[in-house]
Amino acid sequence: MVVMSRSETYTVDQTAPKDKFNIVYWLVILVGFGVLLPWNMFITISPEYYVNYWFKQDGQETWYSKEFMGGLTIASQLPNASINVVNLFIIIAGPLIYRVFAPVCFNIFNLSVILLLVIIFEPAPEMMKWFFWTTLGIAVSINFSNGLYENSVYGVFADFPHTYIGALLIGNNICGLLITFVKIGVTFFLYNEPRLVAIVYFSISLSILLVCAAALFFITRQDFYHYHHQKGMEVREKAETDKPSPSILWNTFKNCYGQLFNVWFCFAVTLTIFPVMMTVVSRGKNGFLDKIMSENDEIYTLFTSFLVFNLFATVGSIVASKIHWPTPRYLSLAIIARALFIPIFFFCNYRVETRAYPVFFDNTDIFVIAGIAMSFSHGYLSALAMGYTPSVVPSHYSRFAAQLSVCTLMVGLLTGGLWAVLIENLVDKPDIF
C-alpha cells in the first residue's frame, strides 16, 4: 500500500474558509441520505406491492410474479455498474456537481411517475404486461441515475476533508435506518393495505428528494464549497490530470489499491451476511430475547436483522467521523478479521429446517450480539476505507480514487451476493464440491 502525504503534492496558497456551523457537512449527510432513498423504498415495497398485489391473480402465481424480482435485480445491477464504469472516463473532465444535481432532478421525475401510477391504476389481468415492463423501465432509469449520482458525488467531495466522504456514508446508513422504521410502522398500522403502503413509501421518498435538491443548490452557494472545488480543479490542471485517461486511472490504482481492497472486502463480507443470511436465522430457545420477542416472524426479523443492522451501521459510520483508527497502513487487518463473522452466522440457526450441519449457537442473544458487532464494524470500517482512499493518493488523483472506490464498492456488493448464494447451497448440500 502506498501512502503519500498531501504536503508532497500540489497546493493552492489561500486560507480555506470555515464550514460555518458545519452546515455543508450536515447538508452532505442529507444528500447521502436522500438520493438513495427512492431505490431503497422501491426494493422494500416490491414484494408486497408489485409481486403479491399487482402480479398475482387471486393469490396464484403468474409469469409476472415469478419473474419480477429477478427482472428487478437485472434492472438495478446492470445499469448501475455500467454507468459507474462509463462515468470514470466521461464525467471526471467536467464539473461533477452538475452530474450530481441532474440525477436528483431526474429521480424526482421518476418518483412522480411512480406515484401517479400507484394512485391512478389498480391491478387487472389485462394490465399486467404493460405495468410489468413500465415498472422495470422506471427501475432501469432510477438505477442509471443512482449510479451516475453515487460515482459523481464521491468524486465531488473527494476534494474536501475526508470527513465529508464519511458524511455521505452516514447519510446512506441513515437512509436504511429510516426505511426500517417506516417498515416497522406500516407492518403495525397498515397491514394488508399494499396500495396505501406504496403511496406512503413513494410520497416520503419524493418529499425528501425535493429537500435534497434544495440542499445541493444551497451547498453550491457556500464559499467553503467553492474553495475546495477550485483548489481541486487547479491541482489537477497543474498536474495535467484534469482529463481522464487509462494511464491516470492506472497510476491512481497503484497508489490506493490497498484501500480499494479494503472497500471491496468490507462490503463483500457484509453483503454475504446481510440480508441473505441474517433474515433466515430462526429464533432460538434459551436466550433472554427469545422470551421477550414477538412471536410474529416478520416483526422478529425486522427487529433482529433490519433494525440491528441499519441502526448500528449508522452508529459505526458516525463514530468513524470522530475516530480514525486503525491508520490506513493497518486497516486491512481489521477488515480481513471481519470474515470470521461468516462462520459465526453460518453456525447460528441459519436455515435450521434443512441444514446438513449442526447448530452451535442456538440462542437469539448470541445472534443479535454478533449482528451488532458485524453491523457496527461495517459502518465504522467502511467509512474509514472510503475516506482513506482519496487521502492516500497525490491530491491530483483524489477524485479518481474516490470514484474508483465507488466502483469497487459495487463489485463488493456483487461479490457478497454471489458468496451468499454459494453458502445457501452449501448449508443444505455439504458435498456441493
Side-chain angles (χ1 to χ4, degrees):
M1 184 186 308
V2 179
V3 180
M4 182 173 290
S5 168
R6 286 301 181 95
S7 62
E8 301 175 57
T9 62
Y10 299 94
T11 59
V12 177
D13 294 327
Q14 183 181 344
T15 302
K18 292 184 178 180
D19 182 8
K20 295 180 181 179
F21 307 109
N22 288 324
I23 190 166
V24 174
Y25 180 83
W26 291 108
L27 290 176
V28 171
I29 290 178
L30 178 60
V31 169
F33 163 75
V35 179
L36 297 183
L37 188 64
W39 181 244
N40 287 332
M41 288 287 198
F42 200 99
I43 287 292
T44 304
I45 196 63
S46 288
E48 182 179 359
Y49 177 72
Y50 290 104
V51 174
N52 295 327
Y53 180 67
W54 253 96
F55 298 129
K56 284 186 177 180
Q57 191 169 359
D58 298 324
Q60 300 299 312
E61 292 278 6
T62 65
W63 181 88
Y64 300 104
S65 65
K66 292 178 181 177
E67 299 297 325
F68 182 77
M69 293 306 293
L72 193 60
T73 300
I74 296 172
S76 63
Q77 297 300 328
L78 189 58
N80 201 320
S82 300
I83 197 65
N84 262 278
V85 175
V86 171
N87 195 43
L88 281 171
F89 294 93
I90 294 178
I91 303 304
I92 296 173
L96 287 186
I97 192 63
Y98 298 140
R99 274 66 175 188
V100 175
F101 192 75
V104 176
C105 295
F106 193 54
N107 272 347
I108 289 173
F109 170 77
N110 283 326
L111 274 178
S112 299
V113 172
I114 292 173
L115 195 54
L116 284 174
L117 290 175
V118 172
I119 293 171
I120 295 173
F121 297 103
E122 295 189 21
E126 65 275 10
M127 297 176 64
M128 281 188 186
K129 182 176 181 179
W130 79 263
F131 197 81
F132 179 91
W133 292 111
T134 299
T135 302
L136 291 186
I138 295 173
V140 169
S141 180
I142 288 175
N143 279 281
F144 266 122
S145 294
N146 280 351
L148 177 59
Y149 156 78
E150 192 163 7
N151 192 278
S152 298
V153 79
Y154 278 92
V156 168
F157 292 106
D159 291 331
F160 289 60
H162 81 268
T163 53
Y164 288 79
I165 293 287
L168 289 170
L169 285 167
I170 291 172
N172 291 169
N173 288 320
I174 292 176
C175 175
L177 185 60
L178 173 71
I179 291 172
T180 300
F181 284 129
V182 172
K183 180 65 175 174
I184 291 172
V186 300
T187 300
F188 278 108
F189 300 112
L190 297 177
Y191 189 70
N192 285 334
E193 295 284 350
R195 189 179 181 207
L196 184 55
V197 168
I199 292 173
V200 170
Y201 272 55
F202 293 128
S203 295
I204 292 173
S205 297
L206 182 58
S207 300
I208 293 176
L209 210 52
L210 288 167
V211 174
C212 284
L216 278 169
F217 177 78
F218 191 77
I219 288 173
T220 62
R221 310 299 294 178
Q222 304 303 304
D223 291 338
F224 182 81
Y225 165 81
H226 284 290
Y227 169 82
H228 287 285
H229 173 68
Q230 186 61 34
K231 178 181 176 181
M233 294 290 289
E234 290 182 20
V235 164
R236 283 183 287 278
E237 287 175 3
K238 289 180 180 179
E240 297 182 349
T241 58
D242 53 321
K243 294 184 179 180
S245 70
S247 64
I248 288 174
L249 291 175
W250 174 242
N251 287 332
T252 304
F253 175 82
K254 287 192 296 183
N255 278 276
C256 66
Y257 67 88
Q259 298 307 318
L260 293 178
F261 166 81
N262 289 337
V263 172
W264 168 75
F265 196 72
C266 188
F267 279 90
V269 169
T270 298
L271 264 293
T272 302
I273 298 168
F274 179 84
V276 177
M277 293 182 73
M278 288 183 70
T279 55
V280 293
V281 172
S282 304
R283 66 174 65 242
K285 299 176 181 177
N286 304 312
F288 172 74
L289 292 175
D290 298 320
K291 300 174 183 177
I292 65 171
M293 287 295 298
S294 168
E295 295 184 2
N296 183 300
D297 288 338
E298 185 175 1
I299 297 297
Y300 173 84
T301 300
L302 278 173
F303 277 92
T304 60
S305 295
F306 289 99
L307 182 59
V308 164
F309 178 78
N310 288 304
L311 176 59
F312 287 96
T314 301
V315 172
S317 61
I318 292 172
V319 173
S321 69
K322 305 297 182 182
I323 301 173
H324 308 141
W325 182 89
T327 62
R329 185 181 183 89
Y330 298 105
L331 182 62
S332 59
L333 298 178
I335 285 179
I336 291 171
R338 291 185 75 247
L340 293 173
F341 283 118
I342 296 177
I344 289 174
F345 283 96
F346 185 88
F347 287 106
C348 287
N349 288 319
Y350 171 59
R351 294 196 174 278
V352 69
E353 296 85 2
T354 59
R355 62 184 290 127
Y357 296 88
V359 172
F360 294 157
F361 309 119
D362 181 20
N363 187 310
T364 300
D365 296 349
I366 295 175
F367 167 63
V368 170
I369 290 170
I372 290 171
M374 187 279 294
S375 305
F376 179 87
S377 63
H378 168 76
Y380 181 75
L381 296 175
S382 65
L384 288 183
M386 294 292 288
Y388 284 159
T389 302
S391 70
V392 299
V393 302
S395 55
H396 50 282
Y397 289 147
S398 61
R399 177 169 289 184
F400 299 86
Q403 293 184 286
L404 280 174
S405 71
V406 177
C407 290
T408 308
L409 186 158
M410 297 299 172
V411 176
L413 297 180
L414 178 60
T415 304
L418 294 174
W419 287 353
V421 171
L422 178 63
I423 291 171
E424 277 186 316
N425 286 276
L426 177 64
V427 71
D428 298 331
K429 304 170 185 176
D431 59 346
I432 188 173
F433 299 109

